[in-house]
């Protein structure tokens, strides 16, 4: 029987295999964490879902206040966080802002967690 002292000394372990592939580089992990942080708010997740569900593929900020029961300033703040994280695009029409989902941004998050590491 191998003792923990012998395992530490030889660097061998009978129960654990070496982990290979699938790990993120530190810089990539920091970038991904900031994107997940932007999505880590229930209101922001609801906003993404609401915008994605629109037939025209976009939503005016004025249409999002009432369903969320939040002020326009609060909704605008959450939309800006999602915009800055790259999940939404914004088009200005007069005084109104229309937001659309960036599907590639969500796909990139999924791929980053499932693709083998290239580093």
């Amino acid at each position: 029987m191998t003792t923990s002292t012998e395992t530490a000394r030889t660097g061998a372990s009978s129960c654990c295999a070496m982990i290979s592939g699938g790990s993120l580089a530190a810089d990539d992990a920091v970038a991904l964490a900031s994107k997940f942080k932007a999505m880590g708010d229930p209101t922001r997740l609801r906003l993404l879902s609401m915008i994605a569900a629109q037939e025209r593929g976009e939503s005016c900020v004025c249409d999002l206040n009432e369903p969320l029961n939040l002020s326009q300033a609060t909704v605008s703040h959450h939309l800006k966080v999602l915009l800055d994280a790259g999940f939404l695009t914004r088009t200005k029409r007069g005084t109104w802002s229309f937001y659309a989902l960036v599907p590639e941004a969500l796909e990139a998050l999924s791929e980053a967690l499932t693709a083998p590491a290239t580093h």
Side-chain angles (χ1 to χ4, degrees):
M1 177 173 203
T2 306
T3 67
S4 60
T5 305
E6 290 171 344
T7 300
R9 190 177 35 214
T10 63
S13 176
S14 61
C15 68
C16 301
M18 289 291 293
I19 296 175
S20 62
S23 68
L24 290 169
D27 290 345
D28 294 338
V30 169
L32 280 173
S34 70
K35 290 186 179 294
F36 280 114
K37 183 177 180 182
M39 285 181 37
D41 181 278
T43 299
R44 292 184 204 131
L45 287 174
R46 290 185 67 202
L47 283 166
L48 286 173
S49 175
M50 291 167 64
I51 293 168
Q54 297 304 305
E55 279 186 40
R56 3 180 245 282
E58 64 180 8
S59 249
C60 178
V61 66
C62 64
D63 295 328
L64 299 168
N65 302 333
E66 189 175 322
L68 293 170
N69 197 28
L70 296 172
S71 70
Q72 183 170 341
T74 300
V75 172
S76 292
H77 164 74
H78 286 297
L79 290 168
K80 181 170 179 359
V81 171
L82 292 168
L83 181 72
D84 291 346
F87 294 116
L88 299 175
T89 59
R90 178 178 58 208
T91 306
K92 298 270 258 174
R93 295 185 199 140
T95 59
W96 297 108
S97 293
F98 289 80
Y99 292 86
L101 189 66
V102 178
E104 301 83 24
L106 298 177
E107 291 168 11
L109 286 181
S110 176
E111 288 174 12
L113 294 175
T114 57
T118 58
H119 306 283

